[in-house]
Amino acid sequence: MKGRVIKTTGSWYEVKVGEKLIKARLRGKFKQDNLKLTNPIAVGDYVLLANEKNQSTAVISEILPRDNYIIRKSTRKQHFSHILASNIDQAYLMVTVRSPRTSLGFIDRFLVSAESFRIPSTILINKVESLTKQKDLDFKQELHDIYAPLGYPVVELSALHDEDLMEKFSTGLEGKTTLLAGHSGVGKSTLLNRLIPNATQATQEVSKFSSKGVHTTTFAEMFPFGEDGYFIDTPGIKEFGILDIDDHELSHYFVELRKYLGQCKYNNCKHINEPGCKVLEVLEQGYIHPYRYENYLKIMSEEDSHR
């Protein structure tokens, strides 16, 4: 049988085969593209499986090739990676200006991972109703100023209070598999519960002590949405470590740098301090946002904390 993994719970998986949901486990160990993975099977994967004899469960025998995936370094196992989801049409990164605050570095790391497979991404700014301080309003505007000109839609919302949420999202979600990601506490589960009432994802207040989100979604899960659409909810991400990307490839995944590739004096230009670098030239002229270029350098040198 061929099915699609819609939920992972450790060693067991829920697989949708036609209109049926089957509980399945993995047979043996899988080696995939030389990747060391903490999760050999991800939500969104298409798999082949067979019923276990005299059981209501099944065994997964093969993971079919993925069209794409969003992956990050594992925070628990060194040199291992974790796939958030696979075979997705678009990604929504939910961010907040405060409680918790999402850093530009975190946003750029996520976008680089999505760009590596040309996955269209949208930035959702949640909890805008709670912003009153000028510095918070300035940061919110900065998100618009930096990312909208690059082709990343920036949408403001209140997952808790907006009455037109369905109108805002339905046209963009129909018939597509959409990944929803972000820090814990930014309101992913609240949004999901509003859009898909039968999702009943647990929600929890942000910790007042640390101003950080509390994990409420434990495992990734895919929910049907409208006609042939799916919404993938993922556990909150504290850090987003980029999987090894060659220094010369990194600029391919920054859209504003990509347009100048091939225009530098040297073919192997890293756009740091090389003579005749077109990227440095347009940076000086103000065509590249300094924050984005700063994060490009940080990702290349692994200086930041991935947050």
Side-chain angles (χ1 to χ4, degrees):
M1 298 179 290
K2 178 183 175 182
R4 193 174 192 191
V5 177
I6 66 165
K7 187 175 184 179
T8 63
T9 56
S11 56
W12 286 94
Y13 306 90
E14 280 188 22
V15 183
K16 187 176 183 183
V17 179
E19 296 303 313
K20 288 173 58 180
L21 288 181
I22 298 176
K23 189 176 181 182
R25 59 186 178 85
L26 190 59
R27 172 177 285 159
K29 291 186 177 180
F30 281 72
K31 286 186 178 179
Q32 304 172 60
D33 302 328
N34 297 317
L35 294 175
K36 289 184 176 180
L37 296 169
T38 56
N39 59 330
I41 295 181
V43 164
D45 277 344
Y46 289 99
V47 297
L48 298 182
L49 65 165
N51 287 323
E52 293 193 90
K53 194 173 182 180
N54 301 322
Q55 300 285 334
S56 60
T57 55
V59 173
I60 296 169
S61 58
E62 186 178 344
I63 303 166
L64 298 178
R66 298 173 174 123
D67 289 337
N68 59 38
Y69 49 82
I70 288 188
I71 192 169
R72 67 185 177 100
K73 287 183 180 177
S74 171
T75 54
R76 295 178 182 175
K77 296 180 78 173
Q78 194 175 12
H79 307 306
F80 273 72
S81 302
H82 182 86
I83 296 179
L84 295 186
S86 69
N87 301 314
I88 62 180
D89 297 309
Q90 60 187 357
Y92 283 177
L93 179 63
M94 183 173 276
V95 306
T96 42
V97 172
R98 58 190 300 272
S99 299
R101 184 183 179 95
T102 307
S103 72
L104 296 178
F106 179 88
I107 295 172
D108 287 338
R109 284 174 167 274
F110 181 88
L111 294 178
V112 163
S113 184
E115 283 291 338
S116 69
F117 276 109
R118 299 292 192 269
I119 297 169
S121 297
T122 296
I123 296 171
L124 307 179
I125 309 176
N126 192 25
K127 305 184 184 181
V128 293
E129 80 284 357
S130 65
L131 303 180
T132 55
K133 294 181 179 178
Q134 190 59 47
K135 66 175 183 178
D136 291 336
L137 295 172
D138 290 344
F139 182 64
K140 175 169 70 75
Q141 184 57 47
E142 201 163 42
L143 293 175
H144 284 277
D145 295 343
I146 293 173
Y147 296 104
L150 301 178
Y152 298 113
V154 179
V155 180
E156 294 185 22
L157 70 143
S158 169
L160 204 56
H161 301 294
D162 281 354
E163 296 180 1
D164 61 345
L165 276 180
M166 192 60 75
E167 295 169 29
K168 276 185 179 179
F169 288 96
S170 58
T171 54
L173 295 172
E174 288 287 349
K176 294 183 177 179
T177 297
T178 303
L179 171 70
L180 181 62
H183 285 314
S184 296
V186 296
K188 299 188 304 297
S189 295
T190 300
L191 174 64
L192 198 69
N193 288 338
R194 293 285 307 280
L195 294 177
I196 310 172
N198 63 349
T200 59
Q201 293 292 79
T203 59
Q204 196 167 328
E205 289 292 318
V206 169
S207 165
K208 289 183 172 60
F209 175 74
S210 65
S211 295
K212 293 180 181 177
V214 181
H215 286 288
T216 50
T217 303
T218 311
F219 300 103
E221 185 169 1
M222 189 159 73
F223 298 93
F225 182 90
E227 290 291 322
D228 300 321
Y230 289 98
F231 223 131
I232 300 178
D233 190 22
T234 58
I237 307 166
K238 288 185 178 179
E239 301 178 6
F240 203 101
I242 293 289
L243 188 66
D244 295 334
I245 290 178
D246 185 271
D247 287 352
H248 297 103
E249 285 183 17
L250 181 59
S251 57
H252 295 215
Y253 309 135
F254 277 77
V255 293
E256 66 275 58
L257 273 60
R258 189 161 66 216
K259 64 195 289 188
Y260 299 109
L261 297 184
Q263 299 182 39
C264 297
K265 182 177 180 180
Y266 300 106
N267 289 333
N268 62 347
C269 187
K270 293 182 181 180
H271 322 300
I272 300 175
N273 52 18
E274 298 90 340
C277 174
K278 183 66 175 180
V279 168
L280 293 177
E281 179 186 324
V282 294
L283 174 69
E284 188 70 26
Q285 294 169 351
Y287 291 110
I288 295 174
H289 200 288
Y291 281 150
R292 285 277 288 177
Y293 180 71
E294 183 181 323
N295 286 332
Y296 165 77
L297 294 180
K298 284 181 176 179
I299 292 173
M300 183 174 287
S301 62
E302 285 291 334
E303 278 182 7
D304 63 343
S305 63
H306 319 329
R307 298 187 179 192

